[in-house]
C-alpha cells in the first residue's frame, strides 16, 4: 500500500513539474505618420493620424496593455531639405493630452484561439507658429517614435 501511494505521489509530482507555463508574447508596431503637404499659413491646421497595433500570441486569456513613449520627449522633428518642423503626438482626437512617458494609451488584446491584436489611433499635430518654415512635404523618418509596451503575460 505504501509503495502504491509513493508511486502515485511521484507520478503526480512528475506531471506537475513537467506542465509548462506559457505566457502571452506581445509586440507593438512602429507608427509612421505623414502630414502630407505642410500648410505654412497662420492658423492652418496641420494634423494627421496613424495607428499602432499590439499583437499577442501564446495567449491563455485576454491581455491588457499600456503604451507610453520611451522618453519624456514631447515633440518630434521632421525635415524638408534644410527646414525642420516639430510635431507632437496626442492620445485622442481633441488634441489636448500629449502622448509621452506619463500619458498613456491603453487597451486589451482579446484572446482569439491563442492569438489576438488591438489597434489604436494616434493623433499628430504640427506645432503652430514655426516662423519661416516653407510649405512642402516633410519627412518624419529621421526622428523615430519609440514606444514602451507594458503588459502582464
Amino acid at each position: 500500500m505504501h509503495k502504491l501511494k509513493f508511486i502515485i505521489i511521484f507520478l503526480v509530482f512528475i506531471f506537475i513539474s513537467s506542465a509548462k507555463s506559457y505566457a502571452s508574447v506581445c509586440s507593438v508596431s512602429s507608427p509612421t505618420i505623414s502630414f502630407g503637404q505642410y500648410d505654412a499659413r497662420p492658423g492652418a491646421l496641420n494634423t494627421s493620424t496613424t495607428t499602432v497595433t499590439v499583437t499577442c500570441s501564446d495567449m491563455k486569456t485576454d491581455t491588457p496593455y499600456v503604451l507610453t513613449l520611451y522618453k519624456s520627449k514631447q515633440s518630434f522633428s521632421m525635415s524638408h531639405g534644410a527646414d525642420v518642423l516639430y510635431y507632437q503626438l496626442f492620445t485622442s482626437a481633441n488634441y489636448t493630452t500629449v502622448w509621452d512617458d506619463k500619458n498613456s494609451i491603453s487597451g486589451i488584446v482579446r484572446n482569439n484561439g491563442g492569438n489576438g491584436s488591438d489597434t489604436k489611433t494616434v493623433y499628430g499635430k504640427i506645432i503652430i507658429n514655426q516662423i519661416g518654415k516653407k510649405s512642402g512635404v516633410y519627412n518624419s523618418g529621421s526622428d523615430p517614435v519609440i514606444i514602451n509596451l507594458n503588459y502582464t503575460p
Side-chain angles (χ1 to χ4, degrees):
M1 179 71 171
H2 289 288
K3 189 174 186 180
L4 181 58
K5 228 185 222 182
F6 175 76
I7 290 173
I8 292 173
I9 292 171
F10 180 74
L11 290 176
V12 169
F13 177 75
I14 295 278
F15 177 75
I16 292 172
S17 297
S18 65
K20 295 188 178 186
S21 172
Y22 291 100
S24 299
V25 177
C26 299
S27 62
V28 62
S29 63
S30 296
T32 55
I33 192 161
S34 173
F35 290 93
Q37 185 77 17
Y38 170 63
D39 186 349
R41 293 177 297 175
L45 290 178
N46 290 284
T47 61
S48 184
T49 61
T50 188
T51 59
V52 292
T53 301
V54 176
T55 305
C56 298
S57 61
D58 298 331
M59 297 173 69
K60 299 297 181 204
T61 63
D62 294 348
T63 303
Y65 66 87
V66 175
L67 302 174
T68 56
L69 293 185
Y70 178 68
K71 295 181 180 180
S72 61
K73 183 179 185 178
Q74 293 188 4
S75 67
F76 297 88
S77 64
M78 55 186 176
S79 60
H80 173 70
D83 279 342
V84 176
L85 275 178
Y86 296 93
Y87 68 96
Q88 293 177 305
L89 297 175
F90 295 83
T91 60
S92 63
N94 61 13
Y95 297 94
T96 56
T97 304
V98 175
W99 186 28
D100 58 17
D101 63 335
K102 301 204 179 11
N103 299 308
S104 62
I105 296 172
S106 59
I108 298 174
V109 176
R110 302 285 178 203
N111 183 6
N112 185 9
N115 298 301
S117 65
D118 189 45
T119 300
K120 295 293 183 184
T121 301
V122 176
Y123 304 86
K125 184 177 181 181
I126 295 176
I127 297 171
I128 60 171
N129 298 328
Q130 296 187 52
I131 298 169
K133 304 301 180 188
K134 298 175 188 158
S135 293
V137 177
Y138 284 71
N139 176 9
S140 64
S142 61
D143 192 6
V145 175
I146 301 172
I147 300 171
N148 285 328
L149 166 61
N150 297 302
Y151 66 98
T152 303

